[in-house]
């Protein structure tokens, strides 16, 4: 396999190191040594030394959420997300992706979402149609909300309506490229999808991005890969914080004790931890669970549930236990994917989205 010298250096540094094995949400959920940064590096190093075939490690390569908890934990600055993504890109170029990933990639390219869904839920369609007129601000919903969690997308629209914001929602919203970026990294197909998305969004002054995974690529990878996006990009949570601050959203504190689940894309990739807290604190009493802010523990997502649904439930269960650890009875989310993952295992601890907190 062709791997950059930098990639090889990181792989060889991680392959015999145990220091971050306790932090991996997937490894903790499965209890398996294969789900650690070290094991993944060892596998890649064996491929680099031509001891095994790339195809032999590809299932393992797709068992990583790329959540960056290991990167954050590493005191010596090595980056397992970087070499995992490089391996995915190389596998895509060599035609060595697992078949179940190929299907998702083809769907992203042909249908604009990994699930291959083309119909939009009727209630969401109606809400979108009510905001089809062109304004300066576009609310970017993202493929997970549109195709897998339409009720969340409807709530996001309702929150902006409640604040009296004039905004547009695109009837044919382009894919941001976030799913392809996760599946095949910096492939040409990913960049082409991103460029097409940027072209459409540049017709607006401001883009408010509902899903943190889209916000991460729009604010970070687009810049790194020279995708010309001129519109101002704001995360949904930062925008909500502005609305609370300006009084457009009139908050009443219910006195309810809640904890907040930081999406890693906001907390680690975009260094945004306070904006959502400002919103939560306006409506409820915020407590903190173990692993918060930049140390957040990922709670699962919609995309990986396509090939490892049981593990996603265990990942979400583990995070629920952190909420139980501080006797919280409600966990507030700011990621449609984590909301869906946590909802799937909801029992004694209630799961609500930041939109539901605002809408009451
Ligand atoms: S990321 Fe750092 S702590 Fe984790 S395995 Fe690599 S070198 Fe060790
Ligand atoms: S990026 Fe996240 S899921 Fe992947 S090895 Fe690191 S901690 Fe585990």
């Amino acid at each position: 396999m062709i791997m950059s010298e930098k990639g090889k250096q990181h792989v060889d540094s991680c392959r015999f190191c145990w220091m971050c094995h306790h932090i991996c949400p997937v490894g903790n959920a499965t209890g398996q040594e294969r789900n650690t940064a070290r094991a993944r590096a060892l596998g890649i190093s064996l491929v680099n030394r031509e001891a095994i075939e790339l195809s032999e490690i590809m299932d393992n390569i797709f068992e990583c959420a790329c959540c960056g908890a290991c990167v954050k934990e590493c005191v010596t600055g090595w980056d397992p997300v970087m070499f995992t993504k490089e391996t995915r890109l190389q596998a895509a170029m060599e035609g060595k992706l697992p078949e179940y990933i190929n299907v998702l990639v083809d769907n992203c390219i042909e249908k604009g979402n990994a699930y291959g869904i083309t119909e939009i839920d009727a209630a969401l369609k109606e809400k979108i149609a009510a905001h089809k007129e062109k304004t300066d601000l576009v609310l970017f919903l993202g493929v997970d909300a549109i195709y897998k969690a339409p009720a969340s997308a409807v709530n996001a629209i309702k929150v902006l309506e409640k604040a009296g914001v004039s905004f547009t929602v695109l009837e044919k919203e382009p894919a941001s490229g976030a799913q392809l970026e996760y599946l095949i990294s910096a492939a040409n197909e990913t960049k082409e999808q991103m460029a097409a998305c940027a072209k459409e969004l540049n017709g607006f002054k401001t883009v408010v991005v509902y899903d943190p995974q889209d916000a991460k690529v729009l604010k970070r990878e687009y810049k790194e890969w020279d995708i010309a996006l001129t519109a101002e990009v704001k995360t949904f949570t930062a925008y909500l914080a502005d609305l609370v601050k300006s009084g457009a959203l009139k908050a009443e504190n219910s006195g309810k004790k809640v904890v907040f689940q930081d999406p890693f894309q906001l907390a680690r990739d975009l260094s945004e931890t306070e904006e959502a807290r400002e919103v939560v604190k306006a409506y409820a009493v915020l407590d903190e669970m173990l692993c918060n802010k930049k140390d957040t523990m990922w709670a699962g997502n919609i995309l990986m549930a396509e090939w490892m649904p049981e593990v996603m439930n265990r990942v979400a269960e583990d995070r629920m236990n952190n909420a139980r650890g501080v006797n919280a009875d409600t966990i507030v989310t700011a990621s449609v994917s984590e909301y869906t993952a946590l909802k799937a295992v909801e029992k004694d601890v209630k799961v609500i989205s930041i939109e539901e907190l605002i809408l009451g």
Side-chain angles (χ1 to χ4, degrees), residues 25-39:
V26 182
N28 287 341
T30 64
Q32 288 186 25
E33 156 63 11
R34 65 180 268 132
N35 296 128
T36 58
R38 182 197 90 95

Side-chain angles (χ1 to χ4, degrees), residues 13-14 17 19-20 74 78 80:
S13 302
C14 290
C17 172
M19 298 301 283
C20 66
C74 186
W78 303 112

Side-chain angles (χ1 to χ4, degrees), residues 23-27 35-37 40 63-71 80-81:
I23 210 80
C24 179
V26 182
N35 296 128
T36 58
R40 199 159 288 113
E63 286 164 8
C64 174
C66 298
C67 74
C70 50
V71 183
V81 172

Side-chain angles (χ1 to χ4, degrees), residues 46-315:
L46 290 171
V47 175
N48 284 341
R49 287 165 175 77
E50 297 181 353
I52 58 173
E53 291 289 325
L54 177 57
S55 51
E56 292 178 63
I57 64 164
M58 285 316 298
D59 286 339
N60 185 253
I61 293 297
F62 281 99
E63 286 164 8
C64 174
C66 298
C67 74
C70 50
V71 183
K72 161 76 181 52
E73 188 71 6
C74 186
V75 291
T76 38
W78 303 112
D79 187 345
V81 172
M82 181 265 286
F83 60 68
T84 299
K85 289 205 170 161
E86 201 175 323
T87 306
R88 288 178 187 178
L89 174 61
Q90 196 54 38
M93 294 199 307
E94 290 183 24
K96 302 249 172 79
L97 291 173
E99 200 33 49
Y100 56 91
I101 298 294
N102 270 329
V103 171
L104 301 174
V105 171
D106 289 348
N107 281 339
C108 284
I109 295 166
E110 286 157 25
K111 311 267 170 48
N113 67 89
Y115 319 110
I117 303 173
T118 49
E119 278 300 307
I120 298 179
D121 166 84
L124 175 59
K125 215 170 177 176
E126 206 177 298
K127 272 282 173 207
I128 293 174
H131 293 279
K132 66 178 181 192
E133 295 307 322
K134 183 87 191 297
T135 65
D136 281 350
L137 186 149
V138 64
L139 174 65
F140 190 90
L141 294 169
V143 292
D144 277 347
I146 293 174
Y147 298 108
K148 287 288 199 173
S152 292
V154 167
N155 280 342
I157 293 172
K158 281 185 182 168
V159 168
L160 295 199
E161 286 175 345
K162 188 181 168 112
V165 177
S166 171
F167 65 102
T168 304
V169 186
L170 296 168
E171 288 189 294
K172 285 191 182 150
E173 187 182 275
S176 70
Q179 289 189 323
L180 281 179
E181 189 271 334
Y182 173 79
L183 294 167
I184 53 173
S185 189
N188 288 339
E189 290 83 350
T190 312
K191 292 178 183 173
E192 278 163 19
Q193 195 165 72
M194 289 176 168
C197 182
K199 203 169 162 197
E200 183 118 18
L201 296 183
N202 283 341
F204 296 88
K205 210 168 140 202
T206 308
V207 187
V208 173
V209 189
Y210 177 53
D211 189 328
Q213 69 178 353
D214 294 316
K216 187 207 79 150
V217 296
L218 286 163
K219 282 174 95 67
R220 208 178 70 166
E221 273 76 9
Y222 275 46
K223 267 195 201 119
E224 266 175 39
W225 299 343
D226 284 333
I227 310 290
L229 180 59
T230 51
E232 183 194 15
V233 179
K234 282 196 162 204
T235 63
F236 188 63
T237 36
Y239 192 66
L240 293 183
D242 287 347
L243 293 176
V244 169
K245 223 176 284 169
S246 69
L249 276 176
K250 287 169 192 53
E252 258 182 53
N253 198 307
S254 65
K256 185 204 294 255
K257 184 177 146 186
V258 304
V259 288
F260 176 62
Q261 167 60 15
D262 288 270
F264 70 82
Q265 298 93 339
L266 295 185
R268 281 197 280 270
D269 295 321
L270 299 178
S271 297
E272 185 195 302
T273 57
E274 298 316 306
E275 287 81 344
R277 280 179 172 72
E278 284 163 25
V279 177
V280 173
K281 280 194 257 180
Y283 288 88
V285 176
L286 179 67
D287 200 357
E288 295 290 355
M289 57 184 162
L290 194 69
C291 301
N292 59 66
K293 301 186 180 176
K294 287 201 169 201
D295 293 325
T296 189
M297 188 65 77
W298 174 67
N301 72 17
I302 297 173
L303 182 57
M304 286 178 78
E306 291 290 304
W307 65 94
M308 41 198 309
E310 308 275 303
V311 176
M312 286 309 99
N313 284 345
R314 274 180 269 151
V315 165

